[in-house]
Amino acid sequence: MTDETKAPITNGRPAHPPKRNNSPPVVLPTHGTAIVKSALSGDTVILLGRIPAGAPPGTRPPEVLFTFERVTAPRMASKSNNNVDDPGAFSSREFLRRLVVGKPVSFETRRQGATAGDRVYGLLFLKGLNEGDGPRNLAVESVTNGWAIPKVFGSEMQVGGEKEGEDEVRDYERALQVAFSEAKTGMVGVHSVDPTPLVRNMSNAGDGGFSCEALVESLKQAKVGPIQCVIEYIFDGSKFRLQIVDERPEVQQYIHGNVTLIMAGVSCPRTGSPRLGTQSEEYAEEARHFVEIRLLHRELAVELLGVDKNKSCVVGNVLHPRGSIGTELLKNGLGRMSDWTGRMMDPAQVPALRAAETVAKRGTLKIWKGYTAPKLSGDSEIQGTVVEVLTGDTVSILPNNVPYTSDLVLKKVSMASVRSPRLGNEKTGKVDEP
């Protein structure tokens, strides 16, 4: 977060769920700019600042929980309200999410610290739509569109005296009242009568809702291709929670369903769990942040390929318009190839991942620091006769001028960088791979 008043910012992160450490909350200046990382509801966002100069590599930028001053939006489903949305809560969040996530905003702080709990209250402004337009007050815009309401109504609005800044407060209050009146008159947002504000019928995959296997199979049978989802949470660099928002008839039964996605072809270091007392693996937080600033709270197409062995997660690809997030993770040394999920991918997609991983290995980046390429211990070249094809990628060769006395003289050679489907085993009852 940059500050226009040159006031200091303390290093640390906001205390917002899930809490990742015990750092003190960020102290914002009176005015400044930041990037919106995510929208938690129709009146609350997480702002993302800049990494301080001279900070060690891997340092996360400061974050702060920021709520609009003097307005309130419907409450999203949570444990505190029995996991049921207030009418219009999700639509309110979506209005704000589409408007600001990933974009720069300017802020004015009004309350923070002891009187504000773990968050900052103030105003957010977005650049005007057209050249020459003034900044858009996001709180007023939300009220105008019916997705938030003022906390003070009409004659209850009291601003007395001539203290510094009270003219601005009075003007803001009046703008809210005008916007509220317009929204009620136009019956928009939470004021709508037909249709009534949305209350989601939510379900969780594998938790009394629908099964991951049924989801993948039904979408394959319907041949709908990738589905639209909002990336709601990033567990680590290669594991996310999705909310299905695709409104096509073939997907309607799963709309607003939540499912955990494992990224195909890539595995990132695992993040720790304070609840379980486990520590994050090296570079896990950096990999998560790398993905958060690119995918969190974005609505993107997701291609579902299969399920994990426990059938509790789906495996697939997030299709970002600017390219493959998996390739970028591998290229930057923040992940490694995952063979078991890679086998679900189109074979034509795998070489790009292999090439990206090779770039990181050669540069000994992040998780590959100290990596040395394996050295060939045997012959670099074998000339002989293929005596048996073991699988689609492995053969047995009898070298020239070597008499066959037993299978011990044969050389087993596998092709590099490819893997064919494995044959079954009659003794163990294992069937051939497709």
Side-chain angles (χ1 to χ4, degrees), residues 226-229 243-249 251-252 254-255:
I227 59 173
Q228 292 299 118
C229 300
Q243 181 173 179
I244 300 170
V245 294
D246 200 308
E247 296 183 348
R248 288 177 291 178
V251 194
Q252 191 64 39
Y254 301 109
I255 195 165

Side-chain angles (χ1 to χ4, degrees), residues 121-290:
Y121 290 86
L123 307 181
L124 285 185
F125 299 91
L126 187 65
K127 184 179 178 181
L129 290 173
N130 303 306
E131 193 70 29
D133 289 350
R136 302 153 67 187
N137 186 318
L138 292 172
V140 174
E141 193 143 332
S142 292
V143 173
T144 301
N145 286 274
W147 298 123
I149 61 174
K151 288 184 176 178
V152 180
F153 299 99
S155 59
E156 299 178 51
M157 183 178 65
Q158 297 291 332
V159 181
E162 297 296 332
K163 295 181 181 179
E164 182 181 354
E166 286 192 344
D167 283 345
E168 290 184 10
V169 174
R170 187 182 295 108
D171 291 343
Y172 173 54
E173 289 280 14
R174 287 184 181 132
L176 291 178
Q177 298 302 320
V178 170
F180 181 61
S181 178
E182 290 178 358
K184 287 185 65 178
T185 302
M187 292 190 292
V188 296
V190 296
H191 312 291
S192 175
V193 176
D194 185 20
T196 55
L198 170 69
V199 176
R200 290 176 295 171
N201 181 19
M202 295 186 296
S203 57
N204 297 315
D207 186 21
F210 55 92
S211 74
C212 292
E213 197 171 27
L215 169 64
V216 173
E217 287 303 315
S218 65
L219 295 181
K220 284 183 178 179
Q221 291 178 8
K223 298 181 179 179
V224 296
I227 59 173
Q228 292 299 118
C229 300
V230 174
I231 315 299
E232 292 286 354
Y233 186 74
I234 309 296
F235 294 101
D236 59 42
S238 55
K239 191 175 182 180
F240 324 133
R241 185 172 68 237
L242 313 177
Q243 181 173 179
I244 300 170
V245 294
D246 200 308
E247 296 183 348
R248 288 177 291 178
E250 299 89 345
V251 194
Q252 191 64 39
Q253 63 178 311
Y254 301 109
I255 195 165
H256 303 311
N258 294 289
V259 62
T260 300
L261 174 81
I262 297 173
M263 192 190 308
V266 180
S267 177
C268 293
R270 293 185 178 183
T271 53
S273 170
R275 182 173 60 86
L276 300 176
T278 57
Q279 297 295 317
S280 294
E281 296 177 359
E282 191 174 16
Y283 299 110
E285 290 294 340
E286 190 172 346
R288 172 156 62 179
H289 176 67
F290 186 92

Side-chain angles (χ1 to χ4, degrees), residues 265 267 327-339 350-375 416-417:
S267 177
T327 300
E328 294 303 314
L329 283 165
L330 294 173
K331 189 189 302 180
N332 286 275
L334 293 171
R336 64 184 75 237
M337 283 288 298
S338 169
D339 289 333
V350 177
L353 298 181
R354 292 282 183 204
E357 185 182 60
T358 299
V359 169
K361 285 180 176 179
R362 289 175 177 171
T364 60
L365 302 177
K366 305 291 172 45
I367 66 172
W368 300 110
K369 65 180 181 180
Y371 170 81
T372 55
K375 296 180 180 179
S417 301

